[in-house]
Structures are given as structure tokens and as C-alpha cells.
Amino acid sequence: MEARNKGIYVFILAGLLVSVALALLVSPWASSAPDGLEKVAEDKGFLEKAEETDPAWESAPIPDYAVPGLTRETVDEETGEVVEEPTKPATALAGFIGTVAIFLIAWGLALVLKKKKPEEAGTAP
Amino acid sequence: MHIPDGFLNTGVSVATGAVAAGVVGYGLYRAREELDERSVPLLALCAAFVFAAQMLNFPVAGGTSGHFLGGVLAAVLLGPWLGGLVLTLVLVVQCLGFADGGLTALGANVFNMAVIGAVACYYLFALGKRLLPKSRTSFLAAVGVTSWLSVMLASGACAVELAISGTSPLSVALPAMLGVHAIIGIGEAVITVLVVSVVLAVRPDLVRTYDLAGPAPVFADPEVNR
């Protein structure tokens, strides 16, 4: 069983590599069309409700899955405003950072939550 | 299906947030018992995979895209409580780190995608598994059908929340949401069945809900099995 339990880390590492590869290499080529809810909101005329509302949280380090600084400034044809447009490197790096970060956060959170074994619990208050 | 700020009224935000907080709180309590040396790294991997896969929007009909949800995948691999926590964590990181989904709608998004999409759908999956013959094929069939249903139920809940909030009448929002998500749900089912098949082929002992053949998967203290 020892080998089996060590083997799990091989599986975890392989799975993490697949996840990182998806986020880093595939996500820049993902569809940028509106998703189901966004499309329905557009078609049924309530997308403005979101556009007119100031976001309640404006401190996201990587807004819209595009690393700031790697984005491209373009002029919106309809409004004439200068908007930041994601580039492939901006999306790839966002995916990489997000995937690795969430892996580490989840692992850390799980370790904190995990009940201590009886022998360890004995020393804890 | 991440709801932005502005779509929901205060009542719906608070009500869904309260239910979500209750379920997640209970999930955290259950996690204490369920987390062990094997499920800790698996939970981390599951969260990373769900996050990465959610970035991969695939085109569906009519200038629309859909993406993987992952609730059923997480629940099939880890059980309802750890699975629900995976989805909750992904949604929190997406909201705070990537401005995907509004902060005021975070409770509703957790309610739709973690509470319904993972926890509730786990029980639908368990029911399907009990009704079907015990085989690998019917296990995967239950995974596929529940995956499709999870997207339908989550998008249906989203439509109900929009309707109660006065954003879009139910007669408009519900058919529109279910219509597009019926197609997105097929993608969900294909991806979930594919990933579960791969894990079953490589490490069937890591699929927590797979208990069809042979001795029960060993989740016990590794000390005993040396």
C-alpha cells in the first residue's frame, strides 16, 4: 500500500500538468462569444442592468482573465471609448497563474480543515 | 453562468447567500472528517482542473459559448461535501481574483453551481446509480445524465432568481436559459464522462463513488494497509 500511496502524487502531478497545459495553451484559443447567461441577457434586453452597475469588487488582480500590462488598448467602435482587450499571452498567463494559485490555495485550505489524527490531536488543546 | 452585479435584487442575493453559506458551512464541518492524506491532494487537483477547464469556452449555436461547470465531476470524485467545496472555492477565486461573477451575486452563484450543481446533483447521481444495474457502463451513464441535468438545474435556478429579482420574467428567462444550456449540458456530460473514464482507467480507487466491483476503495488509515 506504501507504493500505492506514493503513486497518488504521480497521478496528482500528471493531472496538474494537464490542467496547467489546458489553461496555458488552450485557453487563449477558447471561444470569446458570450456565454449562455450573457447571450440570454443580450437577447432579452437586460444586459444593461449589469453594464450600468458598478462592480461591488474592483480589486481583482487579473480582471476578465487577462493579465494587466499584457492587454492591448483598442477603441470600442460603438462607444468610442478606449478599452483593454485581452491578448493571447494575457489570457495564457492568467490561466497559468489561476490554475497554480487555486491548486495551492485548495491544498492549504484542505490541510487546515483536515482533522488531526488522534495521536496529533492529543497534543493540541 | 456566472451572474454579474446588477441582475439580482437584495432579497434574492441575501436569500441565496444565506442558503449557500449554510450548506458551505456544513460542508466545511463534514470536510474535517472526510479529508485525509489521499483526498487533500485530490481536492487540490480537482479545484485546479475545474478552474482551468472553466476557462475553455466552446462555441455552441448562434454566437454563444458555453463552458464546463464541473460540479458533478467534483462530486463523483470526492463526494458531495468536498465536491461542493471545490466548486465554492473556484467561484470565490474567480470572483475576487478575476472579476468573473459579481460579489453581490457570489451567494447566488455558489447556490446555483456548488449547492445545486455539485451537492444536490450528487444525490441525483447516487439515485441514478442505485436504479441502474451495477456496471461500469451504467456508472458512466449516470455520470453523463447527471452532468447534463446539473447544467439544466443550475441555469433553471438562475432564471428563477432573475425572475424573482424582476430582471426578466420567468416565461422569458426560463425557456431561454434552458434552451441554450440544453446544448451546453451535452458538452458538460461529454467532458465529465471522459475525465471520469480516464480516472477509472488509471486509478479507479480515486473515484470515491465508484464502488461496484472488488473490495471497497481503501480510504482508511494507510497505517493499517502496510
Side-chain angles (χ1 to χ4, degrees), chain B residues 7 55 57 85 107 128 137 155 157:
Chain B
F7 278 3
M55 283 186 72
N57 286 57
L85 286 185
T137 311
S155 65

Side-chain angles (χ1 to χ4, degrees), chain B residues 39-93:
Chain B
S39 49
V40 168
L42 196 57
L43 179 137
L45 173 58
C46 201
F49 180 81
V50 168
F51 175 85
Q54 284 204 2
M55 283 186 72
L56 310 180
N57 286 57
F58 48 84
V60 295
T64 312
S65 74
H67 66 71
F68 183 59
L69 181 62
V72 171
L73 176 69
V76 165
L77 293 179
L78 295 161
W81 306 111
L82 297 183
L85 286 185
V86 164
L87 264 286
T88 303
L89 181 66
V90 168
L91 289 165
V92 170
V93 170

Side-chain angles (χ1 to χ4, degrees), chain B residues 129 134 139 207-217:
Chain B
K129 208 176 69 166
K134 280 190 175 279
F139 180 87
V207 183
R208 202 176 152 184
T209 54
Y210 191 70
D211 49 6
L212 305 179

